[in-house]
Amino acid sequence: MVRNFFLFILVCVSFSLCACSTKKVRQVQEVSLKELADCVFVLDDSTVASMEYLQYFQRNDSAILAFTNRYDNSVVLYDYKSKKNVGRIHYEKEGGDGIGEVFSFCYVNDDSIYHYHFNLRTLFRTNNEGKVLEKHLINTYSNASPDSLFIAPVLFPRTNSPLTVVGDKMLMAGFMMGEVEGENDENRPVMVYYDLKTGRLDYSDSYPSVYHKGHWGGGFIYRNPYFTISPQNEIILSFAADSNLRVHSMNEKGFREYYAGVGGDYVITPIEERASSKWINKDECNRHYIDNLSYGPVFYDKYRCVYYRIARLPDPSIDIHKTPIIKPIEIIVLDKSFEMIGKCRLKEDKYWINQCFVGEDGFHIQVESEDEDELRFKTFVFAIDEK
């Protein structure tokens, strides 16, 4: 009887160990991103390579790369194919045509170039001569009371979360700095829809449930959202702590999720397991950052009908006191239906992943250049025959 009991225990333990050893780990295959010649734009004496924002767009028959230039508070335009400078729009900081410092913009046409200034909380519509045609004050105030909590985002458009016009709506993303207790699926939205005709303001897309428990540092590293627009004008959101992409139309309350992670057994954990409003110092946040996987922006390549999502891999050997902190990068590739194709590890370089865009020649990521008179991008192309 005793012998049978011990045999039973042994079988149970063996089964348990077997179950643990066969725990599913999602595998993502390696694919090729072919590296082409660098995309280089020669700058003049009035233009600097360190920009806040860029936009790639079509103007008539030409593809244009435009970017902010803090040296003279302007937007500089280059022809994508010829790499030649084709214009500069200078903006006043003060006065009737003043828009403050040029920070983010959205070119629609020569009479509708939108700028948003986050300190002024104002959206400006300007023309290609730098004249202000409209001003829209956009207030996104948080509303907290003893029995409710609503944490409105501070709007902070960036290249990888751009000002985007869809119909009469201006889409913008942002977040409120800091951490709070009581966050849920509805009370901390990151997307804002501003009606350019009526001035109505709507919100959507609070953080995924993984954010509701624990302390994530409250800053850009894990709280900054990334979004883009699909060819069907659907919103595609990427959150740093979530392996999934979130997809929905502007009119949908619900959303779909698609796995867009690097695979393996990575687990992204918060800095502390308990949510709180306590302040955590910069060194602790940076240490947490290099110890953990984090996801970044997502881009659609209309020329090859694929999506690219940037992932930054953990590397505890990085010196957190040397800036910028650049973690190893993998690019995740999905097809136009958000089906996983694979991932590709990029060789080491000083990538400035806040400044990326997709052009006809490929996926461009800005890198540090040894020549201060040039703007340089690495260029990658997904090999279609890898699918």
Side-chain angles (χ1 to χ4, degrees):
M1 185 73 177
V2 173
R3 182 170 177 267
N4 289 340
F5 174 75
F6 280 111
L7 283 173
F8 174 75
I9 295 297
L10 181 62
V11 170
C12 289
V13 171
S14 299
F15 179 80
S16 176
L17 291 174
C18 181
C20 291
S21 65
T22 58
K23 181 182 178 181
K24 283 189 175 182
V25 175
R26 192 184 288 263
Q27 300 297 326
V28 175
Q29 70 170 344
E30 300 287 338
V31 296
S32 296
L33 286 179
K34 184 179 180 181
E35 184 174 344
L36 304 182
D38 290 358
C39 180
V40 181
F41 301 86
V42 178
L43 307 176
D44 60 26
D45 292 340
S46 299
T47 310
V48 295
S50 56
M51 69 193 72
E52 293 288 349
Y53 194 98
L54 66 78
Q55 183 189 4
Y56 173 87
F57 58 88
Q58 201 72 24
R59 186 177 68 175
N60 300 322
D61 295 328
S62 300
I64 301 295
L65 180 69
F67 54 90
T68 58
N69 183 51
R70 68 172 182 269
Y71 183 81
D72 61 357
N73 211 49
S74 67
V75 172
V76 183
L77 294 83
Y78 276 77
D79 183 277
Y80 174 73
K81 281 295 186 183
S82 69
K83 306 297 187 290
K84 293 181 178 179
N85 185 313
V86 292
R88 179 185 301 266
I89 307 171
H90 175 75
Y91 289 94
E92 299 295 331
K93 293 184 180 180
E94 300 176 342
D97 287 314
I99 65 168
E101 291 188 5
V102 171
F103 181 78
S104 60
F105 66 93
C106 176
Y107 176 93
V108 179
N109 55 51
D110 284 349
D111 288 318
S112 291
I113 306 171
Y114 291 93
H115 292 260
Y116 183 75
H117 195 289
F118 63 96
N119 282 335
L120 300 175
R121 303 195 307 276
T122 301
L123 179 71
F124 300 88
R125 183 169 73 88
T126 71
N127 63 18
N128 63 349
E129 297 179 348
K131 302 298 182 182
V132 173
L133 306 179
E134 294 177 2
K135 297 180 182 180
H136 303 261
L137 181 62
I138 302 177
N139 288 318
T140 59
Y141 290 119
S142 294
N143 179 20
S145 67
D147 58 353
S148 70
L149 179 66
F150 181 75
I151 310 156
V154 173
L155 301 177
F156 198 78
R158 308 178 85 185
T159 300
N160 47 35
S161 289
L163 286 172
T164 304
V165 176
V166 178
D168 294 330
K169 300 289 182 65
M170 173 64 75
L171 278 59
M172 292 179 277
F175 71 102
M176 177 66 73
M177 298 283 283
E179 299 286 311
V180 297
E181 296 181 64
E183 183 177 343
N184 60 37
D185 292 334
E186 297 181 349
N187 65 4
R188 193 167 182 174
V190 299
M191 289 298 304
V192 164
Y193 312 84
Y194 179 76
D195 192 305
L196 294 167
K197 288 187 174 180
T198 67
R200 178 185 170 89
L201 203 60
D202 293 305
Y203 303 89
S204 75
D205 293 290
S206 289
Y207 289 93
S209 59
V210 66
Y211 283 88
H212 303 167
K213 296 179 180 179
H215 195 301
W216 292 91
F220 278 93
I221 292 176
Y222 278 98
R223 283 292 180 180
N224 183 55
Y226 307 94
F227 91 96
T228 190
I229 297 295
S230 76
Q232 295 76 35
N233 283 337
E234 291 184 305
I235 294 167
I236 304 165
L237 272 159
S238 173
F239 295 94
D242 192 356
S243 296
N244 296 320
L245 289 178
R246 179 184 295 183
V247 182
H248 65 87
S249 72
M250 289 192 296
N251 299 320
E252 280 184 297
K253 290 185 178 180
F255 55 82
R256 311 184 302 281
E257 289 187 324
Y258 299 93
Y259 181 76
V262 297
D265 56 358
Y266 290 106
V267 177
I268 305 174
T269 59
I271 299 176
E272 293 184 355
E273 293 184 1
R274 183 178 179 276
S276 71
S277 58
K278 68 176 286 189
W279 179 81
I280 294 180
N281 68 60
K282 182 179 179 180
D283 281 358
E284 194 171 350
C285 289
N286 286 342
R287 173 58 60 187
H288 171 260
Y289 175 59
I290 66 170
D291 286 343
N292 278 271
L293 171 67
S294 54
Y295 291 100
V298 58
F299 302 87
Y300 182 65
D301 184 341
K302 68 179 182 180
Y303 305 98
R304 284 152 283 271
C305 297
V306 295
Y307 290 94
Y308 306 109
R309 189 190 194 193
I310 292 178
R312 288 166 278 197
L313 305 180
D315 183 356
S317 68
I318 294 174
D319 185 346
I320 61 172
H321 299 108
K322 289 184 178 180
T323 57
I325 297 175
I326 301 176
K327 298 198 297 185
I329 293 175
E330 285 188 341
I331 304 295
I332 301 151
V333 186
L334 302 98
D335 69 16
K336 63 182 180 181
S337 300
F338 304 101
E339 293 294 324
M340 174 67 70
I341 295 176
K343 64 180 181 179
C344 178
R345 178 78 170 263
L346 300 188
K347 68 180 184 182
E348 286 190 20
D349 207 328
K350 290 187 177 180
Y351 299 103
W352 295 356
I353 63 170
N354 285 332
Q355 307 302 344
C356 309
F357 72 99
V358 174
E360 187 175 349
D361 295 338
F363 180 39
H364 303 290
I365 306 177
Q366 189 181 4
V367 291
E368 186 175 60
S369 175
E370 295 180 357
D371 186 345
E372 64 179 15
D373 293 326
E374 67 178 24
L375 180 62
R376 180 175 293 271
F377 296 85
K378 290 293 180 184
T379 303
F380 302 94
V381 172
F382 172 63
I384 300 297
D385 57 1
E386 288 283 340
K387 293 180 70 174

